[in-house]
Amino acid sequence: MIRLIQRGLMFGNLIHIASPALIERYNRALKHLTNHQTKLTDFHIDISGYSPEIGDELDDPLYLNHAGVNRQFILLTTDQKHAPLLNAKFSTSREILKKFIQKNEPQLFALTARDAVAGELVNSVYSVDGPAKLFDIRRVKIEADTTSGTVAEAQALAENVDRFMREEDAWFDDLLIADMITSAKRTGDVTRNPVRLDLMEFEQRNFWTAHFGGLYVFQGMDHPAVISSGEKDALGELPIKYVFDLNDRNQIAKFLEYNDLVEPIVKARGIDAAAILRQKMDFIVIDIAQESGIDLAGATRRDIRALARLHASDLPEEFHGLADLLRWAEEGGKWPRITSDHPAYFYTLRSADHGDRDLVNMLLSQLSPKDIRQLFICHKELFYTLYATWHDTKKSYVADFLDREYQVDKAGAREALFGHEPEMAPSAPAKREGPWSVSAQKIATVGPWGAVRGR
């Protein structure tokens, strides 16, 4: 993992905490939440305030996430909104924290200037002792305050101010006036600068969880289902009709299509589909090269194409399926029959433009794990797990590739692969030069995904 850490591909964008004042605030919050404190003089934190160094010190990687539910958080700075979430147990947690920080950024900026803000992502479940418990998680509510209770005290002060202004004899209530003066010394003038946090609630109907080997829970769909990374039979009885595992390729394909969750890469607007297909093919060649013990140090795309020609007979069906699709798309070649039981099928898809786009792309990356770029972007937990099993030659190539091709423009790479342009108004189909105009017509009339509809 050292290669990834050195290139900022693992533990990247964490916030470095070295100031004695910030460490003291962190310890107050940590004591408040967990009854622990750190003796470290510097460490790094993620969006939730979790520190891998403190996790090692306490020998507890879940010290802010007991039992993997109701994640606690410590905010020292609003810059944490840019940090990743480590040891994520639910795919929704980082986005919830990010939206909370963004929604309350001015208030959090003022509060964290003097104290740490500590809180929790609260739902009605306190332990997940069985898969069925996951279906009791429907909404997540944020509770947060400073360690000294500034927000709660400010709210109480505001209520006393309202009472003072409303009641005629409040001028003679010495106790009320004394309470307001004492509180104002700690909170400031709440009439001019209200100290109030929007403690938001979020619906959690569709999510991935690391519990039970990894589950994709899609409850808020017209056709709901659960997709398990492990054997579905091990889950027992669940309060949902359809339960699949990764071996149920046809059923997963139908689920994705029935709910309009995916689209073919070659049909997607605003991307260079041919370049994406070629890159996926290169990654498959890299996978074969490491199995053959080929040195990939400094390998260029020309070198990879040469390897593909040299080892053509060893390349798997995923490669040949994508090659057929590329020829069909670019040159009007022979129609490729890529049905859902074909190994290349899920490599040819990306999420459509909807609210669960990241979750669907995460699922697709697990169904097409040889596409290491998509896997790294969409499912880092699985990427790191698989990375640890690779030969050094593949580790080195992948780390160099991601550093060279992805790190330099993360936003651009994501937009090129997964972005969607908003539908502002109906428009005529764009004209394409050469064979692309032919392929666009083919997609509209037939498409290799018609085979799923016919099942």
Side-chain angles (χ1 to χ4, degrees):
M1 299 295 183
I2 297 298
R3 293 183 182 92
L4 299 179
I5 296 172
Q6 289 174 338
R7 292 166 173 80
L9 297 166
M10 189 175 189
F11 302 138
N13 291 333
L14 295 181
I15 307 297
H16 186 215
I17 304 300
S19 161
L22 290 181
I23 294 172
E24 192 272 332
R25 292 174 196 170
Y26 187 91
N27 265 329
R28 285 206 310 268
L30 189 59
K31 180 79 172 177
H32 176 73
L33 291 175
T34 69
N35 206 33
H36 292 300
Q37 288 192 311
T38 180
K39 296 179 181 178
L40 300 179
T41 56
D42 78 296
F43 49 86
H44 297 78
I45 60 174
D46 68 2
I47 189 173
S48 73
Y50 167 77
S51 167
E53 295 99 329
I54 295 176
D56 288 341
E57 179 191 22
L58 300 176
D59 194 24
D60 183 5
L62 296 177
Y63 71 89
L64 285 181
N65 195 17
H66 180 68
V69 293
N70 295 313
R71 182 148 193 157
Q72 297 171 305
F73 60 89
I74 298 171
L75 298 180
L76 297 179
T77 168
T78 54
D79 287 342
Q80 286 173 237
K81 67 183 179 182
H82 300 298
L85 179 64
L86 305 180
N87 297 332
K89 295 298 181 181
F90 290 91
S91 60
T92 52
S93 297
R94 183 181 183 275
E95 193 62 24
I96 288 174
L97 283 168
K98 183 178 178 181
K99 287 181 178 178
F100 170 70
I101 296 172
Q102 290 174 330
K103 178 74 172 179
N104 295 281
E105 191 155 2
Q107 295 87 346
L108 289 171
F109 182 83
L111 290 170
T112 55
R114 295 184 297 175
D115 199 356
V117 172
E120 186 173 351
L121 306 186
V122 181
N123 60 63
S124 59
V125 175
Y126 296 96
S127 67
V128 183
D129 51 10
K133 275 279 190 178
L134 294 168
F135 293 84
D136 294 333
I137 302 174
R138 294 181 177 272
R139 298 191 69 81
V140 176
K141 179 181 178 181
I142 291 185
E143 294 181 356
D145 201 344
T146 65
T147 55
S148 57
T150 303
V151 175
E153 189 166 19
Q155 183 176 350
L157 175 57
E159 291 171 357
N160 282 339
V161 170
D162 288 342
R163 177 185 163 192
F164 181 81
M165 300 297 291
R166 186 175 63 251
E167 297 179 3
E168 291 183 5
D169 58 350
W171 282 98
F172 305 103
D173 191 335
D174 292 338
L175 182 59
L176 174 61
I177 294 172
D179 283 346
M180 288 194 298
I181 292 172
T182 302
S183 295
K185 288 179 180 179
R186 290 190 288 264
T187 66
D189 186 351
V190 296
T191 60
R192 294 185 179 181
N193 301 295
V195 182
R196 186 180 298 113
L197 292 176
D198 185 351
L199 301 179
M200 307 155 72
E201 287 192 13
F202 299 85
E203 188 176 33
Q204 182 159 301
R205 302 282 286 155
N206 306 321
F207 57 89
W208 169 87
T209 175
H211 292 285
F212 311 107
L215 297 176
Y216 297 86
V217 180
F218 293 93
Q219 299 178 82
M221 297 285 165
D222 292 336
H223 306 278
V226 169
I227 300 172
S228 173
S229 299
E231 293 291 333
K232 61 186 177 186
D233 295 337
L235 300 177
E237 186 174 351
L238 298 179
I240 195 167
K241 184 175 181 180
Y242 295 106
V243 181
F244 310 129
D245 59 37
L246 299 184
N247 294 317
D248 298 320
R249 295 176 61 85
N250 291 343
Q251 292 89 334
I252 293 173
K254 289 180 181 179
F255 161 78
L256 294 172
E257 184 186 4
Y258 290 165
N259 289 291
D260 294 322
L261 295 177
V262 294
E263 64 183 3
I265 291 171
V266 293
K267 189 177 181 181
R269 295 175 52 196
I271 65 170
D272 186 346
I276 293 174
L277 291 174
R278 286 197 189 94
Q279 188 67 79
K280 289 175 182 285
M281 292 163 62
D282 285 351
F283 293 142
I284 294 171
V285 175
I286 294 301
D287 196 61
I288 293 299
Q290 74 144 357
E291 293 175 4
S292 303
I294 297 172
D295 185 6
L296 298 171
T300 64
R301 284 175 175 164
R302 177 180 293 180
D303 297 329
I304 293 172
R305 286 195 296 271
L307 285 173
R309 290 191 294 270
L310 187 62
H311 296 272
S313 60
D314 300 323
L315 293 172
E317 282 301 305
E318 294 98 319
F319 181 92
H320 296 298
L322 292 176
D324 290 342
L325 182 59
L326 182 63
R327 281 191 294 272
W328 172 79
E330 281 194 318
E331 305 167 9
K334 183 181 177 182
W335 167 252
R337 182 170 177 78
I338 303 177
T339 57
S340 55
D341 54 1
H342 193 291
Y345 178 76
F346 292 108
Y347 286 84
T348 69
L349 301 177
R350 75 171 190 178
S351 174
D353 193 8
H354 50 73
D356 294 302
R357 184 172 66 184
D358 291 345
L359 179 61
V360 171
N361 278 327
M362 187 179 190
L363 172 61
L364 290 174
S365 70
Q366 186 160 2
L367 291 163
S368 52
K370 293 176 183 177
D371 184 349
I372 53 94
R373 178 173 56 180
Q374 178 168 312
L375 190 65
F376 178 78
I377 295 172
C378 301
H379 201 334
K380 283 187 172 57
E381 289 80 5
L382 182 58
F383 173 87
Y384 295 139
T385 299
L386 294 179
Y387 179 91
T389 68
W390 296 339
H391 298 165
D392 276 349
T393 55
K394 183 173 180 179
K395 287 180 180 179
S396 179
Y397 174 84
V398 169
D400 288 342
F401 172 85
L402 292 174
D403 185 39
R404 182 180 67 251
E405 302 277 346
Y406 173 66
Q407 287 282 80
V408 294
D409 185 11
K410 296 179 183 180
R414 288 172 177 152
E415 181 67 22
L417 291 169
F418 310 116
H420 296 260
E421 295 179 6
E423 291 286 345
M424 302 301 292
S427 59
K431 290 185 178 181
R432 296 183 183 270
E433 299 298 327
W436 271 108
S437 58
V438 177
S439 64
Q441 293 173 6
K442 286 186 178 180
I443 293 165
T445 55
V446 188
W449 296 268
V452 179
R453 293 186 176 87
R455 286 174 119 67

